[in-house]
Amino acid sequence: MVLVSHDTRVSPVTMAERAVAGLLEVVARHGLAKTTLDDVAAAAGCSRATLYRHFANKQALVDAAVGAEVQRFEAQLATATADADTLTDALTAVVVTSARFVDDHGALRFLFDHEPQAILPWLAFAQGDAFLAAVAPVLGAPAERFVGANQAVRVGEWVARLLLTSLTFADERADLTDPRRASALVAQFIVPVLQPAQSTPQGVAT
Amino acid sequence: MSEAELPARERVLEVAYTCVERSGLTRTSVEDVARESGVSRATLYRWFPGGRDELLRETVGFEVARFFGRLAEAAYGAPDFATMLEEVLVFAHRAVREHALLQRMLVEEPELLLPLLTTESHNVRPVIAEYLLPYLEVEARAGRVRTDADLAATADYLSRMILSLISSPGHWDLEDPTVVAELVRTELLGAVLHGG
């Protein structure tokens, strides 16, 4: 959840942050379709008029929330992977951090569990390609210092597929918040592909 | 439901499928299906206690099962696992693109269709993993498996990636056989099997 500034002066930036926090709070309780800007104003502790000065409509606020949450996610990813010594550690941290981000995210959780129609169209078929193209560089970035930029995007797409299918085909095998499971998947199926046997035989697990 | 009712139930799903083809998911009702199948509403509610939602979910599930049945047929007789996966991806990609009703629903009613194809499709992914497992066992007996993951976990992983690729190929051009061969032999199986 985005923290509300303790500063009592309401600058345009903190107002937007409060609105985003309010939206996420309301969506986590009631979903997206039923949420109105009135609900968000109440949750954010501001007037409807103030909210409308910053956001023309609900979609504008949702867009702002997506942007803010992507930034927050990228910051978490950078922190979680900063100390990784190996490609396996870095990618495991990416998988676990991403899975926990969704798991801890009240609003996303509500949408996946109760309002999938609001989120799945952005993740599957033609839109899914656009989503993969957008997230692959983000998820792959921590791998870049191990495998270079091109392979990093490629592995980012692979990690995105792993995470997406764990959300859309959830079952007991799909829990990627578990570091042991995530690390096994990364080490068994993703890392060996990036270190093909013919070029670095010593890097191949047997 | 009795054994004798199964074919009748399947026929109802076929009728429901044609209703969806004509009117879409939103405007298909239990009444429509009852009228066109000649099965009473009471019987339909006995077979589908969840009513319209359950009938539609089963109808989509019925077509998904048919889709993967055709997929399995297309891949039948492939000389090895890698070739089989190549054929599966090429066939599935083309079948998705050419599936007129699927494409129309994706435009007109994605919010209704997609949960039925993913989060609410409780057995699609496990069925694919089960289909892949015997192929992996053949490769393992021939000494061609290099991963230390158990075969069920490998089949599970591959089923996820294949479903993901069928839905969204991403940057892979699944119409180009060279690209598909590279995808299967390096990205999908590079960590699973020896050689390429």
Side-chain angles (χ1 to χ4, degrees):
Chain A
M1 188 64 60
V2 173
L3 293 176
V4 174
S5 167
H6 294 298
D7 193 338
T8 49
R9 288 169 302 148
V10 180
S11 73
V13 171
T14 57
M15 186 57 238
E17 283 175 3
R18 279 169 55 179
V20 164
L23 174 74
L24 295 176
E25 191 186 315
V26 179
V27 171
R29 274 204 311 267
H30 305 295
L32 195 55
K34 288 186 188 150
T35 292
T36 65
L37 280 188
D38 284 356
D39 303 331
V40 177
C46 67
S47 74
R48 203 164 162 266
T50 309
L51 193 58
Y52 273 101
R53 262 204 304 283
H54 292 275
F55 301 100
N57 51 41
K58 188 165 118 182
Q59 190 55 49
L61 177 56
V62 169
D63 292 345
V66 170
E69 290 301 275
V70 168
Q71 274 189 7
R72 192 169 69 86
F73 171 65
E74 289 187 84
Q76 280 188 14
L77 211 52
T79 308
T81 56
D83 298 332
D85 294 325
T86 65
L87 178 59
T88 302
D89 287 351
L91 289 176
T92 302
V94 169
V95 171
V96 172
T97 304
S98 310
R100 284 184 180 164
F101 185 87
V102 177
D103 214 47
D104 294 342
H105 202 286
L108 280 177
R109 234 10 313 162
F110 186 98
L111 295 182
F112 273 111
D113 293 343
H114 307 294
E115 208 181 342
Q117 67 275 21
I119 194 163
L120 290 175
W122 301 101
L123 304 177
F125 293 93
Q127 299 277 14
D129 284 336
F131 182 79
L132 287 174
V135 298
V138 174
L139 295 174
E144 199 170 319
R145 65 180 193 269
F146 300 101
V147 295
N150 284 344
Q151 287 214 102
V153 175
R154 203 176 102 185
V155 76
E157 185 180 303
W158 225 238
V159 168
R161 291 186 190 281
L162 201 59
L163 288 160
L164 274 179
T165 57
S166 82
L167 291 166
T168 49
F169 301 104
D171 52 48
E172 87 282 358
R173 277 193 193 276
D175 181 13
L176 300 175
T177 62
D178 174 359
R180 279 182 45 227
R181 190 183 299 270
S183 158
L185 282 168
V186 164
Q188 287 164 338
F189 299 118
I190 295 181
V191 169
V193 174
L194 293 165
Q195 297 173 327
Q198 55 271 30
S199 58
T200 55
Q202 71 278 17
V204 173
T206 48
Chain B
M1 175 170 322
S2 76
E3 196 85 340
E5 283 174 318
L6 277 174
R9 191 175 188 275
E10 190 150 303
R11 202 176 56 78
V12 162
L13 292 177
E14 255 173 72
V15 169
Y17 183 80
T18 58
C19 288
V20 173
E21 254 181 329
R22 198 176 50 234
S23 324
L25 289 162
T26 315
R27 285 183 295 139
T28 294
S29 66
V30 174
E31 286 68 26
D32 297 335
V33 178
R35 194 177 50 246
E36 296 197 20
S37 64
V39 174
S40 73
R41 277 187 52 185
T43 304
L44 286 184
Y45 277 103
R46 187 161 59 79
W47 289 353
F48 307 96
R52 185 175 161 281
D53 287 352
E54 186 175 345
L55 178 59
L56 290 180
R57 183 163 53 241
E58 299 263 332
T59 303
V60 171
F62 170 73
E63 176 57 15
V64 168
R66 264 206 305 217
F67 178 91
F68 283 105
R70 290 196 293 267
L71 196 56
E73 237 168 74
Y76 183 77
D80 56 47
F81 190 39
T83 311
M84 188 274 280
L85 290 183
E86 286 174 24
E87 284 171 10
V88 159
L89 285 173
V90 168
F91 179 91
H93 178 69
R94 194 185 315 129
V96 162
R97 203 189 48 205
E98 290 172 1
H99 197 297
L101 180 58
L102 170 66
Q103 291 302 333
R104 208 179 82 215
M105 297 287 109
L106 284 174
V107 173
E108 291 173 3
E109 300 178 296
E111 70 292 345
L112 278 171
L113 176 68
L114 289 171
L116 298 175
L117 289 179
T118 55
T119 46
E120 291 173 22
S121 72
H122 298 302
N123 53 16
V124 168
R125 199 206 51 73
V127 164
I128 292 174
E130 272 171 43
Y131 179 80
L132 299 178
L133 191 55
Y135 284 90
L136 277 168
E137 285 164 351
V138 168
E139 298 290 337
R141 278 196 295 274
R144 289 193 290 263
V145 169
R146 76 179 261 214
T147 177
D148 59 354
D150 71 69
L151 296 184
T154 306
D156 179 88
Y157 168 77
L158 291 174
S159 70
R160 288 174 193 285
M161 293 304 116
I162 288 164
L163 280 169
S164 172
L165 286 160
I166 291 175
S167 159
S168 306
H171 74 281
W172 299 97
D173 177 5
L174 297 186
E175 278 158 50
D176 181 340
T178 324
V179 170
V180 175
E182 192 211 331
L183 165 62
V184 167
R185 286 161 203 269
T186 61
E187 300 271 341
L188 271 180
L189 296 182
V192 173
L193 301 183
H194 290 292

